Amino acid sequence: MTTTHPRQTHRPRTGRITPPSTTALLHLNRSAGRTAAPFFLLLVVLNTVLRSMTWKHEPMWAVYQYNFSVMLLGPLLAGVAGWEGYRLSRAETFLAAHHRPLTVLATAWVALLAWCSAAFLTGLAVVIGIVIRSGTPLSIGVPELLTPLPALGLLGLACATGLAAGWLGRGKLAAPMAAVSVFLAFLLLYAGDLSEFVMVGGATSSLVGLRPKADTQLAQLAFYLAATLLTLCATAWGTGRRRPRVLAVAGSALVATLAALNLASVDPLYLEARPGDVRCYGSHPEICLGHGYTKHEPQLRAALAPMVKAVASLPLPAPESFRQDGLSTSTDLGQLSVDTVTGNDPDLLLDMFLGTYYGSTCDIGPGTAMDKNYVNARFWLAGAAGATPFEDPALDPRLRTGTPSERAAIARTALQGLKACRAH
């Protein structure tokens, strides 16, 4: 009788390879970023809805202004990454034995950045939703699509910095210290001469006719990516028993250095002209407005037309065009701001109109000839435009008591005096 060995009655075990998608989901679920995700989202939403929304008529301004939220989101992400780095550092012996510290750090970085980026992009969707709800045409092009990339790159660098602090700090205080350090670094760089290293968004006025410089954005993105890789490699360098990725370290260090030199030498102006960003209407005067402001053209024309007609009656040349994009600087051009377009303020429009006659370098201080010319011209033009005339001691009294021809002569002399200053 033949007996079968008990072990022969069982099938041999076969190993199963975990699919990459399952591995990725596992890391996302275990990441500290998952716990912090609601706080990321709350921060970007509150930073958006609790602040002024003057950007809601301009998609480019809305997107670029929203990018400034990384100044708050980055330090928070660095703090969360610092805690994650501290947790991983407690398994350093195991990771070093299996030669995997860089892989683990990179995986943790991807998971943390994924949760933070999800919150950032959700906030961006809220901003775009506000723009659409305001009735603004959503003219999203390549500049608008590329603008958030440097912001995400800066978040990635803040995340890598936090991981390094937590891994090397080996203490629970590494997380808050990383958050505070990144915040202070952002603040000091933003307010100093090296602001191009953190200036990925934020604008206090309209961006009609403007966009971020593509070469500056590309240099920022290259620096953030190379510095991130260098930070992760340098962090893992001291833990592994073999030197990790020497070529990656050298390459990322070279790219980071070249990009940093490029950023440090660029023009501090981060914006450049964007032609074709306005729509023009009519003539005498021509009024050119951003696509989100075209509904204001009738009221602007009603306010500006009497001024143009009054100046032409002197007779003197009046501004031929009023533009919101500021791409031209000719002497017969009026520069429209958001306040002059949307404010419905005759006094503000009057000051803008008179500004076309004199240059910014002209001395218009009290008691000067320019001051007297300005006061006389403004008083006369206010009567034609329905604005409020200023009571000023420098005002020529004949503008109140003189004949129409006398008042016209004084106004002509005043406007010519303003224009003569611009010519110099």
Side-chain angles (χ1 to χ4, degrees):
M1 182 175 180
T2 305
T3 59
T4 304
H5 194 278
R7 298 186 62 179
Q8 294 178 346
T9 62
H10 300 281
R11 294 181 180 178
R13 294 181 179 180
T14 58
R16 294 183 179 180
I17 300 176
T18 304
S21 58
T22 303
T23 303
L25 288 175
L26 183 63
H27 285 294
L28 286 173
N29 287 333
R30 291 181 176 179
S31 172
R34 179 186 178 186
T35 305
F39 298 97
F40 293 148
L41 184 60
L42 181 64
L43 179 63
V44 295
V45 171
L46 289 179
N47 187 57
T48 298
V49 301
L50 295 182
R51 300 182 66 181
S52 173
M53 297 184 186
T54 51
W55 40 258
K56 64 184 179 182
H57 299 295
E58 299 180 37
M60 180 74 259
W61 187 11
V63 174
Y64 193 65
Q65 174 66 22
Y66 173 76
N67 287 350
F68 190 74
S69 62
V70 301
M71 298 296 288
L72 298 175
L73 197 57
L76 178 58
L77 174 59
V80 175
W83 177 256
E84 186 82 321
Y86 164 68
R87 291 200 308 175
L88 293 174
S89 70
R90 293 185 294 177
E92 178 189 350
T93 303
F94 171 80
L95 296 174
H98 290 76
H99 306 293
R100 297 183 58 204
L102 180 58
T103 301
V104 172
L105 282 170
T107 303
W109 176 82
V110 169
L112 286 165
L113 186 59
W115 284 109
C116 189
S117 297
F120 177 85
L121 294 175
T122 300
L124 182 59
V126 171
V127 166
I128 293 176
I130 293 173
V131 172
I132 295 174
R133 185 175 177 81
S134 71
T136 302
L138 193 60
S139 54
I140 297 293
V142 174
E144 290 86 357
L145 293 176
L146 293 180
T147 296
L149 293 182
L152 291 172
L154 183 56
L155 286 178
L157 180 55
C159 181
T161 303
L163 273 173
W167 182 283
L168 300 175
R170 303 176 185 276
K172 296 181 179 179
L173 289 178
M177 289 299 293
V180 172
S181 298
V182 169
F183 178 75
L184 290 177
F186 280 7
L187 192 62
L188 291 174
L189 288 171
Y190 184 81
D193 295 333
L194 298 177
S195 58
E196 56 270 13
F197 285 90
V198 294
M199 180 70 78
V200 295
T204 57
S205 60
S206 171
L207 293 185
V208 171
L210 297 172
R211 64 186 174 197
K213 292 182 178 179
D215 54 349
T216 301
Q217 289 191 313
L218 289 174
Q220 287 177 326
L221 193 57
F223 174 75
Y224 298 147
L225 294 178
T228 294
L229 180 58
L230 182 61
T231 301
L232 294 178
C233 288
T235 304
W237 187 283
T239 59
R241 295 179 182 177
R242 63 181 180 183
R243 298 306 183 194
R245 311 292 194 276
V246 175
L247 290 179
V249 172
S252 58
L254 178 61
V255 173
T257 301
L258 294 176
L261 291 174
N262 178 272
L263 288 174
S265 62
V266 297
D267 190 322
L269 296 176
Y270 309 103
L271 303 174
E272 63 184 2
R274 178 172 55 168
D277 205 21
V278 296
R279 186 175 298 173
C280 297
Y281 299 87
S283 59
H284 305 294
E286 177 189 57
I287 298 178
C288 301
L289 301 173
H291 299 296
Y293 299 91
T294 54
K295 63 182 179 182
H296 298 284
E297 187 270 338
Q299 71 184 44
L300 275 173
R301 183 169 298 280
L304 291 171
M307 300 184 199
V308 173
K309 183 178 179 180
V311 172
S313 70
L314 289 178
L316 286 176
E320 291 290 332
S321 179
F322 295 88
R323 299 182 65 93
Q324 194 178 2
D325 56 0
L327 295 185
S328 177
T329 58
S330 63
T331 56
D332 61 348
L333 174 73
Q335 302 287 353
L336 293 171
S337 66
V338 171
D339 292 332
T340 53
V341 172
T342 63
N344 195 23
D345 186 346
D347 294 326
L348 197 60
L349 279 172
L350 180 58
D351 291 331
M352 180 276 300
F353 187 96
L354 287 174
T356 64
Y357 286 88
Y358 63 93
S360 59
T361 59
C362 297
D363 183 9
I364 199 170
T368 62
M370 273 290 295
D371 177 46
K372 184 177 181 179
N373 288 332
Y374 182 84
V375 169
N376 289 339
R378 194 188 192 287
F379 186 92
W380 177 83
L381 196 57
T388 305
F390 280 172
E391 297 295 333
D392 193 285
L395 179 69
D396 191 321
R398 291 175 297 173
L399 285 171
R400 289 196 181 96
T401 61
T403 64
S405 59
E406 286 179 327
R407 293 197 297 268
I410 295 171
R412 185 184 308 111
T413 300
L415 288 172
Q416 288 174 334
L418 292 178
K419 197 166 187 178
C421 178
R422 185 184 188 112
H424 291 84

